[in-house]
Amino acid sequence: MTPNIRQLVLAGLGTALSACATKPAPPVEHYSLGMSRAEYRDYKKAKADPCASSEPRWLADELTTVNGTMARFLRETENLSKLDAPDHARQLAMMREATGSLPPLMEVHRYTLNRLKECSFRNTGAFPEIARRGQELLTEVDARLEEGPKVLAAVALKDARRQWREEMPEREEAARRTWCPPNPQVGQTDLFYARQEVDGRKLWRFCDGHLVEQRAEGEPVLVQPDNLTWRMRRRIKPQSYLDAARAYPTAEMDRQPDSVPSSGQGAAKKSSAPSDGGPG
């Protein structure tokens, strides 16, 4: 190979390598979260160098808009863990939207910020503050996103407990229709429903109108219905009601859910063998 030809080949290789090194910047992509908007370029996906393929001012603007989006997300979800906050529903909706869409943007942002450390202009203009703030926001947003599943679970539990309270009369009445005869006889200890209140009180209801109540740390007490005649009172054996209440399985009492909505609790259940205390 003559010197002239060798020189031409080397020049061609140099041009090709230079073209690879200065690969054009990837196209601008758009991201939205709530009212926030951000423009960015995915240099990692395009296998492009942000230091060489992008104008510094463009890069600064793109990094700044992503920083702004993350900062606004943090502001608009700052009371996420306060379930009674006035605008909690809006903050919860923001978290639900961000949970799926924000992490991919953060990965792009993290990659670009790390590559920025290699740029010759990294210490010029606003880049030092943009990089510092970007890394800080990434850490804070990661922590906020980790709160999301816990808050969503807490909201679901709160809704389940509200539904439990609202449907309490319906469950009690359904149990009465299921277990009580058309004309209950006073003195028949037919227990049809049991409930543990939020304050710890326990209630056992009987078809003839009697109620056994036990306060937290107290003993069960029989509460008789009003307007009982003397003849009716003679048929009542208080200990039978107390025994029926004590025999009722605690695990089957109607109580507010601790984790997931409960169903079918509180109503007396059929046993495998008949008992003197009725279906409970």
Side-chain angles (χ1 to χ4, degrees):
M1 182 180 294
T2 65
N4 289 337
I5 295 176
R6 184 181 296 109
Q7 187 175 3
L8 289 173
V9 171
L10 292 176
L13 288 174
T15 301
L17 292 174
S18 177
C20 292
T22 58
K23 192 172 183 178
V28 174
E29 299 186 37
H30 302 274
Y31 175 81
S32 63
L33 177 64
M35 299 299 294
S36 295
R37 301 291 184 271
E39 293 184 349
Y40 67 98
R41 299 174 195 264
D42 192 342
Y43 294 94
K44 182 178 182 180
K45 182 173 67 175
K47 298 181 180 179
D49 181 5
C51 303
S53 60
S54 178
E55 285 285 339
R57 58 188 177 87
W58 295 349
L59 184 60
D61 289 344
E62 293 160 10
L63 294 175
T64 299
T65 62
V66 177
N67 279 357
T69 295
M70 292 193 297
R72 184 165 182 171
F73 166 72
L74 290 171
R75 288 196 306 272
E76 295 187 355
T77 57
E78 61 183 354
N79 292 320
L80 185 69
S81 60
K82 300 177 181 178
L83 302 188
D84 296 324
D87 62 342
H88 191 265
R90 181 185 60 79
Q91 297 199 31
L92 192 64
M94 174 71 71
M95 173 58 74
R96 286 195 175 104
E97 182 181 354
T99 298
S101 67
L102 196 51
L105 175 67
M106 293 169 63
E107 286 306 305
V108 171
H109 196 52
R110 185 176 284 111
Y111 174 83
T112 306
L113 288 175
N114 288 335
R115 291 299 303 272
L116 179 62
K117 299 174 184 177
E118 305 169 7
C119 298
S120 60
F121 51 80
R122 63 185 180 277
N123 293 322
T124 64
F127 280 109
E129 176 59 20
I130 291 173
R132 184 201 66 79
R133 182 59 174 152
Q135 295 292 355
E136 180 181 73
L137 287 167
L138 285 169
T139 300
E140 293 178 5
V141 172
D142 275 334
R144 183 64 52 81
L145 289 174
E146 287 183 1
E147 294 180 26
K150 299 176 184 177
V151 173
L152 291 172
V155 170
L157 180 58
K158 180 182 178 182
D159 290 343
R161 288 176 171 176
R162 174 185 51 77
Q163 184 178 5
W164 176 81
R165 290 191 298 271
E166 292 175 352
E167 296 177 353
M168 189 185 302
E170 180 181 342
R171 290 193 302 274
E172 183 174 331
E173 183 56 31
R176 184 189 301 276
R177 292 194 303 267
T178 300
W179 294 111
C180 294
N183 297 302
Q185 299 298 311
V186 174
Q188 294 290 325
T189 55
D190 295 326
L191 194 162
F192 72 91
Y193 177 78
R195 179 173 71 243
Q196 181 171 340
E197 301 283 8
V198 177
D199 60 6
R201 286 185 304 131
K202 296 178 181 178
L203 306 173
W204 295 265
R205 294 195 178 278
F206 295 82
C207 295
D208 65 353
H210 278 80
L211 167 70
V212 171
E213 179 177 5
Q214 181 180 12
R215 297 187 177 276
E217 308 301 330
E219 292 295 324
V221 176
L222 179 64
V223 180
Q224 294 185 348
D226 297 331
N227 303 322
L228 290 180
T229 65
W230 174 80
R231 188 180 299 275
M232 290 178 179
R233 294 181 187 278
R234 289 187 60 185
R235 296 201 295 267
I236 296 171
K237 297 179 180 179
Q239 191 60 44
S240 297
Y241 293 90
L242 297 176
D243 290 343
R246 288 193 180 96
Y248 192 89
T250 302
E252 295 178 8
M253 298 187 77
D254 188 12
R255 68 187 70 198
Q256 74 171 7
D258 293 327
S259 56
V260 293
S262 58
S263 61
Q265 291 185 330
K269 296 184 178 181
K270 291 184 179 180
S271 58
S272 57
S275 64
D276 294 337

